[in-house]
Amino acid sequence: MSESHTSIFLTGATGYIGGSVLARLLAHPSAETFNITVVSRQAEKAKKLESFGVNAVVGSMDDYALVEELASKAHVVIDCADADNLPAVEAILRGLRKRHATVGDLSTLIHTSGTGVLTDTAKGLYASDVICDDLNADQIEAIPDTALHRDVDLAVVNADKQGYLKSYIIIPSTIYGIAKNPLVEAGRKQAAVVGKGVSFWPDVSIDDVSELYIVLFDSIVSNPDKTGHGREGYYFGENGEHRWYDISRAVGEALVELGISKDPEPTSFTDEELIKYFGSVDAGNYAGSNSRCRANRGRSIGWNPKHTTKDMLASIKPEVEAILKQQGGK
């Protein structure tokens, strides 16, 4: 990144992850050298973003011609919009391929995936002993092509193989800070869990995972040869793991303390409830899958997450309170 000014196209800037990443870019020591472009569906939000010195374009990630054009003008693309929007990512890739062909620039693409790519079909009935290490490229390459998010991840890595960009994929886990819980949002007055809730998922705070983007960005700038990309460019975002039961129990305790429920112990969802609260049995069973990983690659380049699973569980009660308040409840 030898340009005097670094052109950055950030997607998802008004979202949960993207907004946090944008805030950190604006506070970065080199922020004055960044030319940041974002897309917003709403003109009002675009105007607000521009007040921070950001070039905000009114549009949508589904406007593929626009996305391609904006990507073609960027030395760095940080994609935080949608882990499963393959057409949008393909538009980004076309733009970066065009940039490489016309300018000769080897752009950087930091794409956001998710640890849903590691899920199994445990249905909350068992804990898997399979833990994916992001320093083990062979283990990651063995992830089935049919896994969640995998089609997009493979398209990104394939572009790196073709040599017209360097790809880096950040894979956040359960992000907490302003998390939403479908249980509480749906209005169920008793905590529940899929199966026995013994399956494991990793977790990470929004502050820690947004910092991972900046640590990775800085490492790419200062030490590109030692910052893995392509098949060695997967970076998990995790700092601990929890059982699904742990979350449901914390929700149950919050509901009891708030006078909504009398029993903090989660009951098992019936198939009818899975359909009611999640839309289908299969979608509900996702909340009983295993997804286990270790974020060793990010730590190897200096990422030092501060918040732990204990913090995640402690964050549940205020989140439950906030959701109930939005619903006009207690």
Side-chain angles (χ1 to χ4, degrees), residues 2 105 108 127 148 157 201 250 314:
S2 58
D105 187 29
T108 293
L148 187 66
V157 173
W201 256 70

Side-chain angles (χ1 to χ4, degrees), residues 194-218:
V194 175
K196 298 178 181 179
V198 296
S199 307
F200 282 96
W201 256 70
D203 46 72
V204 66
S205 76
I206 183 61
D207 288 340
D208 285 335
V209 77
S210 56
E211 180 65 14
L212 175 57
Y213 286 82
I214 303 304
V215 170
L216 176 57
F217 176 87
D218 288 344

Side-chain angles (χ1 to χ4, degrees), residues 17-34:
I17 299 176
S20 298
V21 173
L22 176 58
R24 289 179 181 272
L25 286 172
L26 293 173
H28 193 281
S30 301
E32 291 186 359
T33 68
F34 298 161

Side-chain angles (χ1 to χ4, degrees), residues 52 74 94 120 192 220:
F52 292 98
R94 288 194 299 272
D120 60 16
I220 294 167

